[in-house]
Amino acid sequence: MSLAEHLTELRSRLLKCTLAVIGLGTISLIFAKPIFGLLMRPVLEALPPEGRALIYTSGIEELNVLMKVGVYCGIFLTTPVILMQLWGFVSPGLYPEEKRMAGPFVAAGTLSFLIGALFCYFVVLPSMFKFLLNEEETLALESRLDTGRLRAEDALRFLRIGDAERAGQLAKGASETLRAEGEGQARELEVVPAESVEMTGRLAGLGQLLDAAADGFGVSSRVVLRQAVEKRVEAVEAVGRKDYAVSAVAMDEAASLLAGVAPTRAEELAGLWKLEKELAAGKARYEALRWTRPMLSMNEQLSLVLLLILAFGVIFELPLVMALLGVVGVVRSKWLFKYQRHAFVVCLIAAAVLTPTGDVVNLSLMAGPMLLCYELGVLAVWLIERRRARQEAAAGIAPTP
């Protein structure tokens, strides 16, 4: 075939691939919204439960995102067609026995791309977004606060049914756990007014403590409880004036009045109030650490996820592509072995560029498969050359230099 005939055939095969992408992409548009939700699941799961949402900054951004999902799904579903057309383009230069490898080539290529995409989705994306969207210290503090709050609620339930002893035991255990796990934790730059957050948390905890005491100790304690509630009202007014020192004193006085409700349980009630103050302080520290908030747009996150999925799909195709180049004689194993060290450096640089995080784990998750696929490709080319040499020797043909 002449050069013009080769170009004509290439144009024909590219047109077939384009039509397949358009057809399958159009069908994918029907299911674009569920597919987009599935693609964004690793992103959303890395966000706090109350903030699991993506934003769009223009009226047509959501539509553009769904159109992009349809196009990329069309490319993904067209992988067998693309591989088949690629094989058809190079097959005229192959031996008859090599032409029979079309089916295995298409199947292996499709499977390799699928394995690469699934590896990225289930292994790389979750760890990457957790690293990007969450700080380890913040996550640990949030977990401690959630556990402490649950234990405090159980303690208040026991107090509400009149079992102050059990309530005190739970409060003491929760307080010791919070102090032990929080030791040595450094405070970050506090952009959020932590004192205001802490006082608000104390007021909420004091209110729950007063409600539980009212239910647990009956009508006889109404007079003392009323005095405690009046003190809480004073604390609320002081917070409104931003007089936090006065508010703290008023709340401590309200909590100490509870000792008059049940003098024999004064220690348990003091432990419950101490736990509420520690939880309020922890909440203030948590808000101070989270002075930045993720606000992720649909378009940017989709582009990032699709880039990584397609990158891993192509990476896992590397052995197959190298084998194909070895079949047509474009690359040789001797040359690949010679520049193996250079290829390792190129793979590491490519992984560093494609990986949006700077941690070693996510870099290794991309560089490792890339290096492994390169080695498999070198091995495949070497095996193909050995097989071809045996065939040429059997046919009495001089071996290719």
Side-chain angles (χ1 to χ4, degrees):
M1 295 175 64
S2 64
L3 177 61
E5 291 172 334
H6 277 295
L7 294 176
T8 301
E9 184 182 2
L10 178 61
R11 183 184 63 181
S12 174
R13 297 190 179 279
L14 289 176
L15 180 61
K16 292 178 182 178
C17 294
T18 304
L19 292 176
V21 170
I22 293 174
L24 293 175
T26 303
I27 296 174
S28 300
L29 283 175
I30 303 174
F31 310 98
K33 194 69 176 284
I35 294 173
F36 177 70
L38 182 65
L39 290 173
M40 293 297 103
R41 182 175 295 176
V43 183
L44 297 175
E45 289 181 349
L47 292 170
E50 67 277 3
R52 289 180 178 174
L54 301 176
I55 65 169
Y56 52 90
T57 56
S58 67
I60 62 172
E61 181 175 345
E62 185 174 9
L63 179 61
N64 289 338
V65 166
L66 297 180
M67 293 286 291
K68 186 184 292 187
V69 170
V71 172
Y72 276 90
C73 283
I75 296 174
F76 183 82
L77 296 174
T78 314
T79 302
V81 179
I82 295 174
L83 293 174
M84 192 176 298
Q85 296 302 318
L86 177 62
W87 185 269
F89 181 72
V90 302
S91 61
L94 304 178
Y95 291 111
E97 61 273 11
E98 293 174 337
K99 293 181 180 180
R100 292 194 294 269
M101 297 171 61
F105 172 79
V106 174
T110 304
L111 182 62
S112 299
F113 190 89
L114 183 61
I115 292 174
L118 292 176
F119 176 82
C120 176
Y121 183 82
F122 288 106
V123 178
V124 177
L125 292 181
S127 63
M128 184 193 74
F129 282 111
K130 285 181 180 178
F131 176 84
L132 287 173
L133 302 178
N134 294 287
E135 295 183 3
E136 183 178 354
E137 184 179 1
T138 305
L139 287 176
L141 180 57
E142 183 182 16
S143 176
R144 291 198 300 271
L145 289 175
D146 290 341
T147 304
R149 173 51 58 190
L150 291 174
R151 291 178 178 176
E153 291 175 355
D154 288 335
L156 292 174
R157 290 187 180 96
F158 277 107
L159 180 63
R160 188 171 286 112
I161 62 176
D163 192 349
E165 182 179 0
R166 180 57 177 154
Q169 292 174 354
L170 288 175
K172 184 178 180 181
S175 181
E176 290 177 352
T177 302
L178 284 174
R179 288 198 304 272
E181 294 180 347
E183 289 178 355
Q185 188 176 34
R187 294 175 67 94
E188 297 288 338
L189 176 64
E190 296 183 2
V191 177
V192 177
E195 195 171 10
S196 173
V197 175
E198 183 174 352
M199 290 300 110
T200 303
R202 285 192 188 186
L203 285 171
L206 179 61
Q208 294 174 357
L209 181 58
L210 292 173
D211 292 340
D215 293 336
F217 296 113
V219 180
S220 59
S221 61
R222 297 300 184 189
V223 176
V224 179
L225 287 173
R226 178 180 176 82
Q227 295 174 358
V229 173
E230 289 292 349
K231 286 294 182 180
R232 185 180 183 276
V233 172
E234 292 179 15
V236 172
E237 294 174 352
V239 169
R241 299 191 307 268
K242 296 185 178 181
D243 194 348
Y244 302 121
V246 174
S247 176
V249 171
M251 283 187 283
D252 287 336
E253 291 176 353
S256 64
L257 285 171
L258 290 178
V261 177
T264 59
R265 298 302 180 190
E267 183 179 353
E268 288 82 356
L269 292 171
L272 286 168
W273 173 234
K274 183 180 180 181
L275 175 60
E276 293 293 344
K277 290 197 294 184
E278 290 174 348
L279 288 172
K283 181 180 179 182
R285 186 165 63 251
Y286 174 72
E287 292 296 333
L289 290 172
R290 292 183 68 247
W291 61 278
T292 58
R293 301 287 193 277
M295 187 173 290
L296 310 179
S297 69
M298 298 173 63
N299 187 41
E300 291 176 353
Q301 300 312 305
L302 177 66
S303 299
L304 178 59
V305 169
L306 290 179
L307 172 65
L308 290 173
I309 288 178
L310 289 177
F312 272 90
V314 172
I315 288 172
F316 277 67
E317 294 277 4
L318 186 59
L320 196 66
V321 173
M322 293 175 65
L324 178 62
L325 295 176
V327 167
V328 299
V330 176
V331 296
R332 298 198 175 277
S333 60
K334 183 186 300 184
W335 184 84
L336 294 175
F337 279 122
K338 180 180 179 181
Y339 294 99
Q340 191 173 40
R341 290 176 295 178
H342 301 79
F344 282 6
V345 175
V346 171
C347 288
L348 290 174
I349 294 174
V353 172
L354 292 174
T355 306
T357 62
D359 63 307
V360 178
V361 175
N362 288 301
L363 179 62
S364 301
L365 287 175
M366 175 165 281
M370 193 180 297
L371 295 173
L372 178 62
C373 290
Y374 176 81
E375 290 298 326
L376 291 176
V378 174
L379 179 62
V381 173
W382 180 72
L383 292 175
I384 289 171
E385 289 179 353
R386 286 194 61 186
R387 184 166 179 265
R388 177 175 292 172
R390 289 196 299 267
Q391 292 174 346
E392 291 176 348
I397 304 174
T400 303

